[in-house]
Amino acid sequence: MLSRLSDRLARLEEIAAAALAAAVTLLILVNVAFRAAGSPLYWISELAIYAMIWMTFLIAGAVLKRRQGIAVTLVADALPGFAHRLLMALVDLVVLVFAVLLLWLCWRWYQPLALARLDFDVRAFQGETFNFIYAENTSTLGIKKFWVWLIVPWFALSLTFHGLVNLGSALRGLRDPAEAPRPPEASP
């Protein structure tokens, strides 16, 4: 059940990333047209950059879930059955440790409990923690940057979930080779 949920989440991330890729293309084309007309819209460039960042984080979660990240597999391919599966489980463990560490760092960065304890008073939060994450605006859009940066905690949470599912699958594959995750097909 968790594996299916992880697959669906990865699929939603892929769809959202594809929509953002289309949005980036459209934003750049609109910006080119307005610049050619002599009236550039500067906020479009910033919005395109943020859309590209979100697209990258979303697709990265889906790629790592599917174990399709760029890798040098010379050693892994040379290992026999159990050793290969053990190495793949170790890779899944490293991805999970990275995701949990990133999740912890995001928790420390956003400090939601401190903000809640101070009744969501941003000035009091800044004075107590010297953390100005909730105060800084984007350059041209004028929205708070923490909204844009929320993709990092999302990525950390998503990758933690995908990593747990992948590691569970890899550990089951160590016990029963028939359940071992299949490596993605190589591109020609």
Side-chain angles (χ1 to χ4, degrees), residues 22-171:
V24 167
T25 303
L26 182 64
L27 287 167
I28 290 172
L29 290 174
V30 167
N31 200 17
V32 166
F34 273 89
R35 283 179 190 257
S39 328
L41 299 174
Y42 297 107
W43 60 269
I44 287 184
S45 295
E46 187 176 30
L47 186 58
I49 290 167
Y50 291 141
M52 193 177 310
I53 291 168
W54 274 60
M55 174 192 69
T56 303
F57 275 106
L58 287 170
I59 202 63
V63 163
L64 289 169
K65 189 278 176 275
R66 301 204 193 300
R67 297 180 174 103
Q68 295 176 331
I70 296 172
V72 177
T73 61
L74 187 65
V75 173
D77 292 345
L79 293 174
F82 181 79
H84 177 80
R85 292 191 309 275
L86 184 63
L87 182 61
M88 293 299 100
L90 181 62
V91 168
D92 286 337
L93 178 63
V94 169
V95 168
L96 178 60
V97 167
F98 169 77
V100 170
L101 180 61
L102 185 60
L103 192 59
W104 176 78
L105 288 171
C106 288
W107 183 264
R108 300 274 302 144
W109 184 27
Y110 275 82
Q111 298 181 357
L113 296 180
L115 184 63
R117 182 174 41 80
L118 295 167
D119 295 324
F120 300 95
D121 181 347
V122 173
R123 287 185 187 253
F125 175 79
Q126 291 171 191
E128 185 174 307
T129 64
F130 296 105
N131 183 344
F132 299 93
I133 186 174
Y134 297 106
E136 191 174 350
N137 287 334
T138 58
S139 299
T140 59
L141 294 172
I143 61 172
K144 299 294 184 193
K145 281 189 177 178
F146 81 90
W147 291 110
V148 176
W149 295 335
L150 277 175
I151 191 60
V152 179
W154 171 264
F155 171 72
L157 190 60
S158 168
L159 189 58
T160 298
F161 179 59
H162 294 319
L164 280 170
V165 170
N166 283 355
L167 183 59
S169 171
L171 292 177

Side-chain angles (χ1 to χ4, degrees), residues 174-188:
L174 286 176
R175 285 191 315 248
D176 182 7
E179 291 188 35
R182 302 275 185 256
E185 294 297 320
S187 300

